[in-house]
Amino acid sequence: MSAAKPVSGFDIQLPRSLKAERRDEVAILWLARAEKRNAIDDPTVFGIEAFFTALPDAIKAVVLAAEGEHFCAGLDLSELSERDIAQGIAHSRSWHRVFERIEFGKVPVVAVLHGAVVGGGLELAAACHVRVAESSAYYALPEGSRGIFVGGGGSVRLPRLIGASRMMEMMLTGHIYDAAEGQALGLSHYVVAPGAGLAKGMELAKRIASNAPMTNFAATHVLPRIAESDPAAGYLTESLIAAIAQGDDEAKTRLKAFLEKRAPKTVRN
Ligand code: 1HE
């Protein structure tokens, strides 16, 4: 059983299956249950909720990474057989609540993936905003072979990334996609060499942390809503958030810096 433990730099207690650390404006949350391939049990999912709920204001971006050979083997299947239908609904709804804390939380989240990213592990990755995959990463939805269905928001988030048809095929056939295929499909934004994921994730998180907070808010909270609105409401919402962002002092300062040639240009490295 995972006992709660205090975490330095954060006003929270986490289960033993999670570790957190701060690196300036970036927090790293580690899945730390490698002996069970980071399978997500109840203490872990509620620990993820506690972490994202209590994130200090000084943190501007989060990296979600995992210890061991695999990012996450999904739902802890040992807990499943104990639940009746009502408990199953409540359990799935609790995952929805927690993963919404990630998707619509205070700051953008970069997931660093390697090894198995399967079932609920893929659902967790899909709730993050940017995904970096090491070349060892692979993606699957083994729910079909286990006689269950996704319950962590996967049927909403994964079709946005790869389409309902591809998700259906993954569930029906157990198709495993490797890191390169996953990137081509849109499951990850980057593929990097084995062991290089954290450095890339940190580089991206630092860059995200340096953005104007209002732009990060608009990108993570407003853009997804616009994308699912009817076009007329979408255009209107876009105008409103664009005006709010550019009216912010931060935008004025940054625009002035560019016009006075004090800001970096948008060039290829
Ligand atoms: C687990 C879990 C788990 C490992 N729940 N205990 N997910 C799956 O169907 C994937 C199930 N896991 C696997 O296929 C394999 O474990 C892996 C390919 C990820 C890794 O293989 P391997 O050989 O490195 O490890 P292992 O020997 O299979 O597992 C090591 C231990 O972790 C072992 O426990 P032990 O006490 O015998 O040492 C495993 O039982 C345990 N373990 N995965 C519980 N998932 C919100 S709905 C979401 C629905 C889903 O996520 S369905 C997909 C579930």
Side-chain angles (χ1 to χ4, degrees):
M1 194 59 200
S2 317
K5 58 182 171 43
V7 181
S8 72
F10 299 94
D11 189 19
I12 43 165
Q13 298 214 315
L14 290 178
R16 295 205 179 281
S17 54
L18 294 172
K19 287 181 190 162
E21 64 175 287
R22 270 182 80 156
R23 296 193 191 173
D24 301 319
E25 292 182 299
V26 177
I28 308 176
L29 180 64
W30 293 93
L31 304 180
R33 199 183 178 218
E35 71 283 5
K36 294 288 181 186
R37 308 310 183 247
N38 295 317
I40 301 175
D41 58 4
D42 282 349
T44 305
V45 80
F46 296 126
I48 293 172
E49 178 173 41
F51 172 84
F52 281 98
T53 303
L55 215 51
D57 288 345
I59 297 297
K60 304 297 180 200
V62 169
V63 170
L64 174 64
E67 294 184 348
E69 297 297 306
H70 300 281
F71 175 71
C72 177
L75 173 72
D76 188 317
L77 295 169
S78 68
E79 288 182 339
L80 201 65
S81 51
E82 307 299 322
R83 293 194 191 103
D84 63 22
I85 289 175
Q87 289 167 331
I89 293 171
H91 178 263
S92 168
R93 296 299 287 158
S94 72
W95 278 49
H96 292 166
R97 187 184 71 239
V98 174
F99 287 9
E100 258 207 37
R101 278 282 149 82
I102 301 174
E103 187 180 10
F104 295 111
K106 293 179 187 170
V107 298
V109 183
V110 179
V112 176
L113 311 174
H114 68 286
V117 185
V118 304
L122 181 52
E123 295 183 276
L124 174 61
C128 301
H129 303 97
V130 176
R131 281 166 294 279
V132 175
E134 295 187 2
S135 53
S136 63
Y138 66 90
Y139 309 93
L141 293 171
E143 281 82 351
S145 64
R146 311 276 180 233
I148 56 178
F149 191 71
V150 290
S155 56
V156 173
R157 293 192 183 94
L158 289 169
R160 287 186 195 139
L161 299 182
I162 61 173
S165 165
R166 186 79 65 171
M167 180 179 176
M168 187 190 299
E169 187 266 340
M170 288 176 79
M171 294 194 77
L172 291 175
T173 69
H175 194 151
I176 294 175
Y177 288 98
D178 67 22
E181 291 168 328
Q183 183 183 28
L185 289 177
L187 286 172
S188 85
H189 301 97
Y190 298 84
V191 175
V192 298
L198 185 64
K200 185 67 186 177
M202 282 300 298
E203 174 200 324
L204 297 170
K206 283 182 192 161
R207 180 153 186 177
I208 289 167
S210 75
N211 290 339
M214 185 61 79
T215 307
N216 282 350
F217 171 78
T220 55
H221 285 249
V222 186
L223 172 61
R225 266 64 189 246
I226 292 175
E228 291 185 349
S229 302
D230 68 274
Y235 289 129
L236 177 60
T237 309
E238 181 187 90
S239 296
L240 297 177
I241 192 66
I244 290 169
Q246 83 189 28
D248 201 60
D249 284 349
E250 183 75 30
K252 293 191 185 354
T253 306
R254 286 169 184 245
L255 294 172
K256 189 163 179 282
F258 176 76
L259 295 172
E260 292 172 358
K261 308 210 178 298
R262 289 182 287 109
K265 296 184 185 184
T266 304
V267 289
R268 294 185 63 173
N269 291 323

